[in-house]
Amino acid sequence: MRKAKWVAAAAGVVLLVAGCGGEGGSGKNKGGSSSESATGSTTGGSEAGGGDSPDAAAVEKEIEAAATAAGFVQDSSGKGVPEGLKTCMVSWTADAEKAADPKKSYDATVKTLSGGGWTEGGPGTEQAGSTIKTLNKGTWSLKASNHGATGFSIVMFIGTDNTPQCEALFKADLEKNKKP
């Protein structure tokens, strides 16, 4: 039960940081890369990204490939992305307990993504056993987070598409879920 509370708290922090207007959230392709995803799928040019941008399925495949190559398996016990946001958001959580060294696997995953056309959007944040890095590709921003302390480790990758259409969907979802 205690681990579940930590997972929920860490997910809340990541989602807060990954929100629509977070660092790298302008939708600009900071690295200038116009390379296609590993699957070759793109949504075409976008006024927000200024070039080719992967779709949600391609982003998820890239994260899955990089994370599993680094020694992670997906923890599918968490909540998924809401149905109405699946074209605009990807969430991939590692079962960090099954990784030999979660920190090394996290670093290897970020390195693989960076070599696959994702560019780091700044130095990242490191504080109290947590690391959060922002990666950008086309109109997508990816928050890669590693939260570790004695007895638990949580590794998550949350990607959001920052096109105006997706920002409108995120805002509508927030309004729909507001408590009266």
Side-chain angles (χ1 to χ4, degrees):
M1 182 67 168
R2 185 173 178 204
K3 180 181 175 187
K5 288 181 182 178
W6 276 104
V7 170
V13 168
V14 171
L15 288 174
L16 179 64
V17 173
C20 294
E23 179 183 331
S26 67
K28 299 266 190 273
N29 183 353
K30 302 212 181 329
S33 172
S34 62
S35 64
E36 293 184 2
S37 68
T39 62
S41 299
T42 63
T43 57
S46 166
E47 68 278 359
D52 289 338
S53 187
D55 62 13
V59 170
E60 187 167 23
K61 284 180 184 179
E62 289 181 40
I63 295 168
E64 176 84 23
T68 56
F72 284 128
V73 294
Q74 187 170 15
D75 179 358
S76 58
S77 66
K79 286 186 172 183
V81 174
E83 192 61 40
L85 299 177
K86 288 188 176 192
T87 59
C88 298
M89 184 176 181
V90 171
S91 178
W92 199 95
T93 302
D95 187 342
E97 292 177 3
K98 292 182 180 175
D101 185 337
K103 173 73 171 123
K104 283 184 181 178
S105 293
Y106 168 81
D107 290 340
T109 302
V110 170
K111 183 177 181 179
T112 298
L113 290 168
S114 295
W118 290 86
T119 57
E120 288 196 40
T125 304
E126 293 195 35
Q127 185 174 1
S130 293
T131 303
I132 301 173
K133 293 185 178 186
T134 301
L135 301 166
N136 300 295
K137 185 174 191 177
T139 60
W140 284 81
S141 290
L142 176 65
K143 298 295 182 185
S145 63
N146 177 29
H147 308 281
T150 304
F152 81 95
S153 181
I154 301 166
V155 179
M156 298 169 45
F157 301 90
I158 299 176
T160 55
D161 190 347
N162 297 303
T163 60
Q165 298 86 354
C166 285
E167 287 183 7
L169 288 173
F170 289 128
K171 287 178 187 176
D173 187 66
L174 285 172
E175 287 296 319
K176 178 179 81 175
N177 293 307
K178 270 189 180 176
K179 304 267 185 206

